[in-house]
Amino acid sequence: LAKSSGGSSYKFFDESESHLFYSKLDLENELRNALDQGGLHLEFQPQNSLVSGDIIGTEALVRWYHPVKGRIPPVEFIPVAEESSLILELDRYVLDRGCKQLAQWQQKGINIKLAINISSAQLEKGDLLGLVSACLDTYQIQPEWLELEITENSLIKSPTEVAVILSGLQEMGVSIAIDDFGTGYSSFAMLKDLPINKIKLDKTFIDAIETDAKDRKIINTIGELARSLQLQLIAEGVETNSQVMRLLECGCYQGQGFLFARPMSASDYEEMLAHSHIID
Ligand code: C2E
Ligand code: MG
Ligand code: MG
Ligand code: MG
């Protein structure tokens, strides 16, 4: 017997279902504690020029080390957070920490762009413009170094509202990347109408780039589209040199992936930057 959250009604579950229910609820409660108690932190992964290998930007990725369960991957806890309002808090936390890090880098003379993932719930229910302007203000960051990644699917849920928010961000000088592009349901018209700076080609295309000629054609077409709309194009999940060759053939000149570096701590990242060439 389990009390459904927020209500007074009782619901029966069969054994397997109740296990699921409890573990999810546990995870949610533990995530809430982690958020409150500083149990989450960020890792950083570079974005590179596929031509020179130079670093052109950074993505911040949230990490959770559970005291007992160890490392819990985002694919497990982000969906749990998305089912509750926790995701709003998580986004706020990541934005705050990311901006703080960016400010520290700028104080050290490291000028590098930082991309932060924003959930669709934040666009729908949060106060993204308020949050971003508060962060820029608190940490005195020049907005051109901040990029926000929103998924393709968060564009389509409430396009008019999203357009207002994105325009507001653009006015502040913050840039926008469309994450996991090519797997969602946005239309090309949205790319034309919305103030977007960058397209992140979903990893599934890169996985298939060597084996599937049709995928190469799609990448080619997205590349042409990006060029004609003057959008940057970056491939995610680049793991091999032969993928790089194929991407270059398809007109994609930027990439992010294990071939260049895995996500790492801020201090490891700084260490790497010290030995790298950065293009800003
Ligand atoms: P994403 O934003 O598309 O992030 C890229 C994911 O691909 C990251 O997984 C990264 O570690 C992984 N990756 C990068 N290069 C490679 C590669 O060469 N090979 C493979 N196999 N994987 C690669 P991660 O960190 O596990 O994050 C998964 C997803 O969780 C992210 O996908 C994003 O949607 C979400 N996420 C991560 N951090 C945050 C965050 O701070 N806030 C929000 N709202 N979502 C986040
Ligand atoms: Mg991302
Ligand atoms: Mg991505
Ligand atoms: Mg992805």
Side-chain angles (χ1 to χ4, degrees):
L1 198 65
K3 197 168 185 279
S4 69
S5 61
S8 56
S9 62
Y10 286 83
K11 241 178 143 182
F12 286 96
F13 295 90
D14 70 28
E15 188 113 329
S16 59
E17 240 184 311
S18 79
H19 273 284
L20 259 179
F21 182 80
Y22 282 117
S23 76
K24 235 186 198 171
L25 200 62
D26 281 351
L27 206 63
E28 190 184 319
N29 285 330
E30 289 175 333
L31 182 59
R32 181 170 287 118
N33 290 339
L35 263 167
D36 291 344
Q37 293 158 13
L40 300 185
H41 69 279
L42 300 186
E43 283 190 347
F44 302 89
Q45 188 183 30
Q47 301 177 335
N48 300 70
S49 159
L50 297 180
V51 180
S52 63
D54 293 344
I55 296 175
I56 51 176
T58 309
E59 181 175 6
L61 294 155
V62 71
R63 295 292 178 253
W64 181 15
Y65 288 102
H66 188 282
V68 179
K69 294 173 186 151
R71 197 180 170 115
I72 303 179
V75 288
E76 276 178 41
F77 68 84
I78 296 282
V80 171
E82 279 173 340
E83 282 178 27
S84 70
S85 57
L86 266 185
I87 190 69
L88 299 178
E89 215 180 305
L90 185 142
D91 278 353
R92 272 203 301 275
Y93 179 80
V94 172
L95 189 64
D96 183 82
R97 293 291 113 165
C99 287
K100 188 175 182 185
Q101 183 61 71
L102 195 53
Q104 283 170 2
W105 284 337
Q106 286 178 358
Q107 277 151 21
K108 292 180 183 177
I110 304 170
N111 285 320
I112 190 152
K113 201 161 194 167
L114 183 66
I116 293 175
N117 291 285
I118 299 292
S119 68
S120 63
Q122 192 65 246
L123 284 165
E124 280 178 73
K125 298 178 219 146
D127 172 22
L128 187 59
L129 290 175
L131 281 180
V132 171
S133 71
C135 279
L136 293 176
D137 204 52
T138 305
Y139 298 112
Q140 292 294 301
I141 303 159
Q142 294 161 334
E144 59 266 34
W145 300 106
L146 180 62
E147 183 169 87
L148 301 180
E149 293 191 5
I150 63 177
T151 61
E152 192 186 1
N153 282 331
S154 52
L155 294 180
I156 59 168
K157 281 195 186 158
S158 37
T160 2
E161 288 83 351
V162 169
V164 173
I165 298 170
L166 296 191
S167 304
L169 291 167
Q170 187 185 44
E171 273 164 35
M172 286 181 204
V174 173
S175 57
I176 304 294
I178 303 302
D179 208 352
D180 303 337
F181 187 82
T183 55
Y185 300 97
S186 69
S187 68
F188 287 171
M190 283 177 165
L191 294 181
K192 167 181 75 84
D193 295 332
L194 293 171
I196 289 160
N197 306 87
K198 188 176 193 173
I199 292 175
K200 296 191 81 178
L201 202 53
D202 193 74
K203 183 178 187 299
T204 51
F205 293 106
I206 290 77
D207 289 341
I209 199 170
E210 287 171 274
T211 50
D212 195 329
K214 282 186 183 159
D215 278 291
R216 286 198 290 277
K217 285 188 179 136
I218 293 172
I219 298 175
N220 248 311
T221 307
I222 295 175
E224 277 168 30
L225 180 78
R227 270 188 297 285
S228 57
L229 296 177
Q230 290 177 307
L231 303 174
Q232 289 185 59
L233 179 67
I234 183 164
E236 62 176 27
V238 181
E239 294 179 348
T240 67
N241 276 313
S242 41
Q243 287 173 339
V244 171
M245 293 308 157
R246 290 296 197 176
L247 283 164
L248 292 173
E249 286 165 15
C250 292
C252 177
Y253 306 106
Q254 300 183 2
Q256 179 180 341
F258 295 170
L259 175 66
F260 301 102
R262 291 190 174 247
M264 62 188 96
S265 70
S267 57
D268 286 349
Y269 197 72
E270 271 178 44
E271 177 73 18
M272 188 197 66
L273 289 179
H275 300 101
S276 311
H277 199 244
I278 306 171
I279 314 178
D280 51 42

